[in-house]
Amino acid sequence: MAYRELVKKNVRLAFRLIGDLATGVMLTKKSKNSFNFSTMNVSVKESAPVTARAVIMPSNKASEEHNAMVKNLLLSYEEVGDINAYDRVTIDGEEWKVGPVISTDSFTVTVEIYKEV
Amino acid sequence: MGKYTNLDSDIFSVFASTAWKTEKISVYPANFVKQDPGAEFVRVSIIPSGNGVNLNSVSGVLIADIFTLAGDGPKKSSTIADRLDFFLCGKTKSSSTGKSVQFFSSTLSPSGADKDNRALYRATYTIPFNYSEALQ
């Protein structure tokens, strides 16, 4: 078996074996966006939401000037594909915004997500 | 609308014009992340940070960050800056409602490789303006 397929298979297996350590999330990704200089409006086209399992890693709450919660999410790249800044993630019915820091090795994706609390 | 919204609207109307669109230079405002901006684009920020002649007026600078391919020399960013000058430098945009934006002389400073994408080169075009609106 090729190494890439082997790693993918083990990522799939890992996300299955961790059971309830992974949480079901729904990712809504922008497929296209534009800015209209006449109306000053932004238009966003979103692709169909993707349901995935995510590991929520340590969270921080920054409260210097306002209360912002920051979480790190680990996702399977095979499930979610490419993620861009300011895409949306829904966890337990609450909407979070993907931040500007996204790291991927094409097997897993780690993103920072933000929400005012 | 208030003076800041009017100012944005007046300056952005330059980039909404048919004449600008024929330049085929992609422009985006600050705080807008384009999904696929391409390798050459301009990001415009309006900074109304100075006093105006009355309570409805303000002065400031328009900053246009010009992104071009890194390693390809300064010609492209200078060409885009020249086109911005053509539309802005020394120009006054007036409306029938007594609002006007007057642009002065511009400067262009190379900022080096972009921090988010090292394959892009950033040059910063800056032009001061005065925005005035009659008091009601």
Side-chain angles (χ1 to χ4, degrees):
Chain A
M1 182 185 285
Y3 285 116
R4 291 187 64 81
E5 195 48 47
L6 183 66
V7 175
K8 279 184 186 174
K9 187 182 162 194
N10 280 293
V11 168
R12 261 179 248 137
L13 180 64
F15 271 87
R16 199 165 63 240
L17 289 178
I18 56 176
D20 65 358
L21 290 178
T23 306
V25 300
M26 194 171 70
L27 190 71
T28 308
K29 298 195 279 186
K30 295 187 295 289
S31 60
K32 198 175 179 184
N33 65 348
S34 62
F35 180 82
N36 184 327
F37 278 99
S38 299
T39 60
M40 295 200 288
N41 287 329
V42 172
S43 70
V44 178
K45 278 187 185 165
E46 291 180 331
S47 52
V50 176
T51 304
R53 280 162 59 77
V55 179
I56 301 173
M57 298 192 292
S59 306
N60 294 311
K61 190 173 180 181
S63 305
E64 282 180 46
E65 293 182 1
H66 50 104
N67 289 325
M69 182 67 99
V70 185
K71 288 179 189 280
N72 285 288
L73 282 191
L74 175 72
L75 301 131
S76 160
Y77 186 86
E78 197 174 44
E79 280 190 320
V80 297
D82 191 35
I83 299 177
N84 287 298
Y86 316 123
D87 285 343
R88 295 182 288 126
V89 181
T90 306
I91 306 170
D92 295 331
E94 291 190 332
E95 189 176 291
W96 296 68
K97 280 271 188 189
V98 174
V101 179
I102 298 163
S103 56
T104 180
D105 55 11
S106 80
F107 299 110
T108 59
V109 189
T110 308
V111 294
E112 277 185 353
I113 57 171
Y114 295 80
K115 184 170 136 47
E116 286 297 310
V117 290
Chain B
M1 292 196 292
K3 69 179 174 186
Y4 296 114
T5 318
N6 288 337
L7 169 67
D8 285 350
S9 173
D10 280 5
I11 292 181
F12 285 163
S13 69
V14 173
F15 303 112
S17 68
T18 311
W20 174 263
K21 285 175 184 167
T22 59
E23 298 288 337
K24 306 272 185 215
I25 299 169
S26 301
V27 182
Y28 310 110
N31 194 27
F32 174 75
V33 180
K34 181 78 172 95
Q35 197 77 357
D36 46 358
E40 284 176 4
F41 59 95
V42 176
R43 185 180 58 214
V44 179
S45 308
I46 299 167
I47 304 174
S49 55
N51 289 326
V53 294
N54 62 29
L55 293 175
N56 282 355
S57 303
V58 68
S59 61
V61 289
L62 181 151
I63 294 176
D65 287 312
I66 302 169
F67 296 88
T68 55
L69 280 173
D72 281 3
K75 187 179 176 185
K76 189 68 190 184
S77 50
S78 295
T79 305
I80 294 173
D82 280 340
R83 298 317 297 158
L84 286 165
D85 253 6
F86 178 78
F87 283 86
L88 301 172
C89 190
K91 300 283 193 299
T92 302
K93 284 184 53 60
S94 302
S95 72
S96 56
T97 53
K99 296 181 293 178
S100 76
V101 188
Q102 182 182 16
F103 290 99
F104 302 105
S105 174
S106 67
T107 56
L108 181 66
S109 57
S111 309
D114 178 52
K115 68 177 175 60
D116 286 342
N117 181 351
R118 308 289 291 175
L120 290 181
Y121 174 78
R122 184 157 61 99
T124 304
Y125 171 95
T126 307
I127 187 162
F129 64 80
N130 262 342
Y131 171 79
S132 59
E133 191 176 323
L135 285 172
Q136 299 298 316

